[in-house]
Amino acid sequence: MEDRGVKKHITVSVILVSFISAVLLLIGGIIYSSIKGAQEKEAQKYMEEIVSQYKNIITAQIDGDLQTLSALAVFAGYDDTIDLNFTLSRLEEESRRNDFIRMGFISPDRIGYFIDTDGVKHFNEDVSEEAFIQKALTGECVVSEVMEDRFSGNSVVCYGVPITHNGCIIGAITATRLTTNLSAIISQEVFDGAAFVHIVDQEGNFIIRSSHAVIKKQLKNLFDDGEIADSIRESILASMGNGSGSFASFRYMGEDYWVTFIPIGINDWNLFCLVPQSFLNHNFHTLFTVFLGVMICIFFLFGILFLYIYNLLKKEHHTLQAFAYKDILTGADNRNRFITDLPALLLEPADYAMVLMNVSGFKFVNEFFGFSKGNLLLQHIARVLQDTVRDGERFYRDSADHFGMLIYYENKEKLIARIQKISQEINNYTVSPNQDYRINCNFGINIIRADNLQYKNNTSPDTAVNGALLALNSVNGSTSNPIAFYNEELHEKARKKVEIESQMHAALANNEFHMYLQPKYYLNDGSLHSAEALVRWYTKDGMIHYPDEFIPVFEENGFITELDMYMLEEACRRVSHWIRQGYKISPISVNQSRVFFYDEEYLDKFHEIVDRYHIDPSLIILEVTESVAMSNLAQVKMVINKLHKIGFSISMDDFGSGYSSLNTLKDLDITELKLDKDFLSEQSTSDRGKVVIESIIHLAKALSIITVAEGIENEAQLEFLKSICCDIGQGYYFAKPMPADEFEQTILNDDKKQD
């Protein structure tokens, strides 16, 4: 019985030991496989990081070279002609500074003028067959393939950057760099000399080799030798062809290698790195041997380690959540959190108001009171909104002084009352005890109704927010009317603005802007004095856009300067044509934007245009609005004096449309004063208004300034203006604005016949 019991225990023990051994072996095999796979992934990551560093160095070198050439091209393109000697001397200096062996200028007819770093010049070189030159002259900033230098025979890489002047390509600048500069970068030791980096093309052909190599044999193509499966080779070539990196194994002379490819992003170049697997895996077998010895300890420590890592990851997850979805300053949700939750909220069967708000003049708070006070104000706003929102509503901080809310909507009156209460609570905040500064907020609102299921179901977070943003932008900075609701008019206005901005450059290039002329007459005898240039936009499909549709958009985005310069040239072209046709010449007045009065370089462009058409500058009257003059009187005064010296006449337009100041008449040397048409129509209906107009005209005469009345529409206005000795009149009573050709055929021909 005892023997039987002993055998039983031995059998059970053997079975148990065998089972545990089998389990340990199975676990060991699984872990071995896992570690091996992890080792491969780690090798891939490590190699990609190393090779990416070389990629960054190479692209930084090339980008820096292209930026240098682009800067030189901008400098060279200031004029429409190239001073070759000056340009080459500048290129020689830059060549030495940037370690180029040569730089040069390429004319549009593909003739090259080059200068070496040592000062040797090469003129009249035909480079028409160079592909990179052809690309540069079509407007591309280009890097050539590796090529043989035509002068030294060395292996080089060339750069080409176009030179433009007024949107036209007038040549190109090139630079030549030895490929040894790039090979020097990739010749640094990798993995303690066990691996080196090379540059290959998408077919695997070597472009630039490192001076060192794992495989010493000089291969033309990296697939010419070695043992690699066809499927892996096709996968590598496909990845390189698609411009993506790849990682694979490679066998050569009985040794296994890891190989990685990363596209440089220039031409079809790829960085190629080969490293022995034994180098990256040399610790693997030792690790596995040690693993067998510490297996038991791992079982005991695994549970503790798992709990520690779990808690650590959980804590980090909460931290990342806070960074991703919380505004650190105020503790409120940020835009990411709001946009994430918004689709689910909109599914609720309720009417909502999407509200965006900002603080009017918040930049002033930061500048005047300091950023710490500004931060306290933002925290106060967040507390007000937090106390305001109800269950099912949300608020968030977008950026800077911008906040958003999604709140329930009952009716317009209640919503406005609620927003006014929010505004008042924000306004009650004291930024500084020593300063009584009033905090004003603006609000844009987009109503999302539950009964409009189609709209609500199709409303994306961006659609909801953008509608409120359009409304906010319409009242941004307003204190008298700080609340605006989104509607189709705002949407159409925004759509129209985008449409105009998308077409304006092409319209100018295609001469879709047409000059209209409206005559101005002497009131004493009815003879022609001059004409005002007005613009109309005729699209290719036959639509006509009037100035009030596109001028405000152009003034906002700065395109008005290009349009004004275009109209100035059209006016000069028309006056030059009249001179050739023998007409009695009438000056043309052209509006000028405020930008021209802050950039004195434009004065040279004005002078250049009138000289190009060989006309006297006095035949062009430059009109500046009263608001421009009032914005910076000293600057405008200086520029006007310079314009007078050139010979231009200056007219102040829209006088009376804003807060007119007699300082503008006292300080500015203007030739002409134009009374705003609205000012005339409103004031001339009352005796007090007539006295004001008469006083302005008499004051102008005392200052030897010609007076012009716009908007004359009837006989009564004309007789009144004559009675107070106004000099010139303009308006529908005389003639509407008309195309320049019609003006010539009717107005100028009649004037010529009378002579």
Side-chain angles (χ1 to χ4, degrees):
M1 292 290 297
E2 290 180 0
D3 291 339
R4 198 177 300 168
V6 171
K7 289 181 180 180
K8 183 178 180 180
H9 283 297
I10 291 174
T11 302
V12 170
S13 297
V14 170
I15 294 173
L16 184 59
V17 169
S18 300
F19 177 76
I20 293 174
S21 298
V23 170
L24 288 175
L25 288 173
L26 179 61
I27 293 173
I30 294 172
I31 293 178
Y32 178 85
S33 238
S34 299
I35 293 176
K36 188 174 182 180
Q39 185 75 3
E40 180 177 343
K41 290 182 179 179
E42 186 65 24
Q44 178 180 357
K45 178 181 177 183
Y46 192 21
M47 289 181 68
E48 288 177 351
E49 289 177 352
I50 293 295
V51 178
S52 293
Q53 292 176 11
Y54 284 89
K55 171 189 172 181
N56 293 338
I57 295 172
I58 292 172
T59 54
Q61 171 75 60
I62 292 174
D63 289 345
D65 291 344
L66 288 175
Q67 288 175 10
T68 298
L69 266 64
S70 296
L72 291 171
V74 171
F75 177 79
Y78 282 152
D79 297 318
D80 56 357
T81 58
I82 301 296
D83 185 336
L84 185 60
N85 290 330
F86 177 77
T87 300
L88 289 179
S89 65
R90 182 68 182 273
L91 294 180
E92 180 182 6
E93 179 183 346
E94 290 295 332
S95 182
R96 291 197 206 96
R97 185 180 304 162
N98 292 277
D99 201 24
F100 298 130
I101 65 168
R102 182 179 306 104
M103 296 187 73
F105 163 74
I106 309 300
S107 65
D109 55 359
R110 295 175 172 79
I111 299 300
Y113 305 86
F114 303 97
I115 185 163
D116 294 347
T117 304
D118 58 6
V120 176
K121 297 179 180 179
H122 310 274
F123 283 4
N124 298 317
E125 294 288 336
D126 183 0
V127 292
S128 58
E129 294 183 357
E130 300 289 355
F132 81 98
I133 294 295
Q134 297 174 15
K135 291 182 180 180
L137 290 175
T138 60
E140 294 186 43
C141 293
V142 62
V143 181
S144 76
E145 298 290 349
V146 173
M147 55 195 295
E148 180 179 315
D149 184 38
R150 65 166 56 203
F151 301 116
S152 67
N154 292 323
S155 177
V156 296
V157 172
C158 296
Y159 305 104
V161 172
I163 304 173
T164 60
H165 178 76
N166 289 339
C168 297
I169 297 175
I170 61 173
I173 287 181
T174 68
T176 304
R177 184 179 290 283
L178 291 172
T179 56
T180 53
N181 292 107
L182 296 178
S183 62
I185 295 174
I186 62 176
S187 292
Q188 304 299 317
E189 290 188 351
V190 183
F191 299 118
D192 297 329
F196 295 90
V197 178
H198 310 275
I199 299 178
V200 300
D201 63 16
Q202 292 180 349
E203 300 297 327
N205 299 313
F206 284 95
I207 296 175
I208 301 177
R209 295 178 62 97
S210 168
S211 58
H212 306 281
V214 174
I215 301 174
K216 301 302 182 181
K217 185 177 180 181
Q218 291 294 317
L219 304 177
K220 182 178 180 182
N221 187 287
L222 62 92
F223 298 114
D224 285 347
D225 207 347
E227 304 168 21
I228 184 168
D230 290 340
S231 59
I232 296 177
R233 176 179 177 174
E234 291 173 1
S235 175
I236 292 173
L237 291 175
S239 296
M240 290 196 295
N242 294 331
S244 58
S246 62
F247 179 82
S249 61
F250 189 90
R251 188 171 181 81
Y252 180 77
M253 298 292 289
E255 174 137 16
D256 293 322
Y257 295 86
W258 293 125
V259 60
T260 188
F261 299 85
I262 292 183
I264 297 178
I266 297 168
N267 300 329
D268 62 348
W269 296 357
N270 289 263
L271 280 176
F272 156 66
C273 182
L274 192 74
V275 61
Q277 292 186 16
S278 58
F279 177 81
L280 295 180
N281 296 342
H282 65 279
N283 292 326
F284 174 69
H285 298 293
T286 303
L287 178 65
F288 182 72
T289 303
V290 173
F291 165 77
L292 293 177
V294 300
M295 182 66 74
I296 297 176
C297 296
I298 291 176
F299 278 118
F300 281 107
L301 296 175
F302 181 75
I304 298 174
L305 184 61
F306 174 79
L307 291 175
Y308 172 75
I309 294 176
Y310 174 78
N311 290 331
L312 186 65
L313 291 176
K314 187 176 181 181
K315 181 179 179 180
E316 188 168 339
H317 176 73
H318 287 310
T319 302
L320 291 175
Q321 285 282 96
F323 276 110
Y325 294 116
K326 285 291 182 181
D327 176 60
I328 304 303
L329 175 64
T330 63
D333 288 344
N334 62 16
R335 180 186 175 90
N336 291 336
R337 173 85 277 169
F338 179 78
I339 294 299
T340 301
D341 294 344
L342 185 57
L345 293 172
L346 293 178
L347 293 177
E348 296 295 325
D351 293 341
Y352 284 106
M354 180 68 227
V355 182
L356 291 182
M357 63 154 286
N358 64 4
V359 178
S360 179
F362 180 73
K363 180 180 178 182
F364 172 79
V365 175
N366 282 333
E367 292 178 353
F368 190 78
F369 298 102
F371 285 96
S372 60
K373 295 292 185 182
N375 290 341
L376 291 174
L377 171 59
L378 295 175
Q379 291 169 351
H380 168 71
I381 294 174
R383 287 193 295 271
V384 170
L385 298 182
Q386 178 66 59
D387 295 339
T388 299
V389 296
R390 306 163 186 166
D391 290 339
E393 299 179 338
R394 296 291 180 87
F395 85 99
Y396 70 100
R397 182 190 176 202
D398 194 333
S399 62
D401 59 319
H402 291 255
F403 289 81
M405 294 182 289
L406 185 73
I407 58 181
Y408 291 121
Y409 176 77
E410 298 180 44
N411 57 59
K412 190 172 183 178
E413 291 73 20
K414 289 185 178 181
L415 178 60
I416 291 176
R418 188 175 177 186
I419 289 176
Q420 288 175 338
K421 182 180 178 182
I422 292 173
S423 181
Q424 184 59 46
E425 290 183 12
I426 294 173
N427 181 255
N428 290 337
Y429 180 76
T430 301
V431 178
S432 172
N434 301 321
Q435 297 284 345
D436 184 17
Y437 182 76
R438 183 177 181 85
I439 305 298
N440 294 307
C441 297
N442 298 113
F443 299 86
I445 304 169
N446 184 14
I447 303 301
I448 305 170
R449 296 186 179 276
D451 55 4
N452 192 347
L453 292 178
Q454 183 177 1
Y455 173 76
K456 192 169 183 180
N457 291 335
N458 294 329
T459 299
S460 66
D462 287 339
T463 302
V465 173
N466 288 341
L469 183 61
L470 286 176
L472 177 62
N473 289 338
S474 70
V475 293
N476 201 8
S478 173
T479 56
S480 60
N481 186 25
I483 301 174
F485 286 80
Y486 171 77
N487 53 36
E488 286 302 318
E489 182 180 349
L490 284 176
H491 175 79
E492 179 60 22
K493 183 178 179 182
R495 187 200 64 78
K496 190 69 175 177
K497 179 182 177 184
V498 171
E499 180 183 342
I500 287 173
E501 290 182 329
S502 68
Q503 298 174 358
M504 59 189 187
H505 291 286
L508 187 62
N510 296 331
N511 296 317
E512 294 180 11
F513 294 103
H514 294 259
M515 184 175 70
Y516 272 51
L517 296 174
Q518 185 176 29
K520 296 187 287 186
Y521 294 95
Y522 287 106
L523 296 184
N524 59 349
D525 61 7
S527 63
L528 181 66
H529 170 266
S530 59
E532 179 179 4
L534 303 169
V535 63
R536 300 291 186 268
W537 180 357
Y538 285 80
T539 63
K540 287 186 175 180
D541 57 7
M543 289 185 60
I544 303 177
H545 295 299
Y546 291 93
D548 57 350
E549 297 179 52
F550 56 85
I551 292 298
V553 177
F554 292 173
E555 288 178 339
E556 182 180 340
N557 61 29
F559 187 72
I560 189 66
T561 58
E562 297 187 43
L563 179 60
D564 282 352
M565 193 65 73
Y566 172 82
M567 291 296 292
L568 174 62
E569 184 154 0
E570 286 295 296
C572 292
R573 182 183 290 112
R574 183 59 62 169
V575 170
S576 176
H577 169 72
W578 290 343
I579 293 174
R580 293 194 304 271
Q581 296 298 317
Y583 288 110
K584 180 181 178 182
I585 305 306
S586 297
I588 297 180
S589 58
V590 184
N591 289 310
Q592 298 298 303
S593 66
R594 71 176 63 238
V595 176
F596 294 130
F597 290 88
Y598 292 92
D599 190 342
E600 295 185 35
E601 290 185 3
Y602 281 108
L603 299 182
D604 296 331
K605 294 182 180 180
F606 290 168
H607 207 312
E608 176 188 336
I609 291 173
V610 296
D611 287 347
R612 186 187 311 152
Y613 291 98
H614 307 290
I615 64 173
D616 192 322
S618 64
L619 294 175
I620 300 297
I621 303 171
L622 300 177
E623 292 193 1
V624 52
T625 62
E626 178 194 8
S627 61
V628 172
M630 292 291 289
S631 63
N632 192 335
L633 191 59
Q635 174 69 16
V636 173
K637 178 180 178 181
M638 179 187 68
V639 175
I640 286 178
N641 289 338
K642 291 183 178 181
L643 289 171
H644 269 302
K645 290 180 181 178
I646 296 174
F648 290 104
S649 297
I650 308 299
S651 173
M652 180 180 291
D653 195 14
D654 297 338
F655 188 82
S657 61
Y659 297 99
S660 302
S661 171
L662 296 181
N663 282 334
T664 57
L665 300 182
K666 175 177 69 70
D667 294 331
L668 297 183
D669 184 15
I670 60 175
T671 307
E672 192 177 89
L673 180 68
K674 297 183 71 174
L675 297 177
D676 183 73
K677 60 182 179 180
D678 292 333
F679 181 82
L680 173 65
S681 62
E682 293 173 4
Q683 301 296 335
S684 62
T685 57
S686 66
D687 292 337
R688 294 173 64 89
K690 292 179 179 180
V691 171
V692 171
I693 296 174
E694 185 175 6
S695 299
I696 293 174
I697 289 176
H698 288 171
L699 176 60
K701 283 188 175 296
L703 296 173
S704 300
I705 299 174
I706 298 172
T707 54
V708 181
E710 293 184 287
I712 301 176
E713 297 181 352
N714 53 58
E715 184 78 23
Q717 291 177 336
L718 175 62
E719 293 304 321
F720 165 67
L721 291 168
K722 284 183 177 180
S723 69
I724 60 175
C725 299
C726 180
D727 298 309
I728 299 167
Q730 175 185 1
Y732 282 10
Y733 178 80
F734 300 107
K736 294 183 178 180
M738 63 190 74
D741 289 340
E742 182 181 338
F743 179 89
E744 180 179 324
Q745 294 169 5
T746 58
I747 306 299
L748 291 187
N749 273 332
D750 289 345
D751 195 47
K752 189 175 182 180
K753 291 175 182 178
Q754 291 176 7
D755 290 346

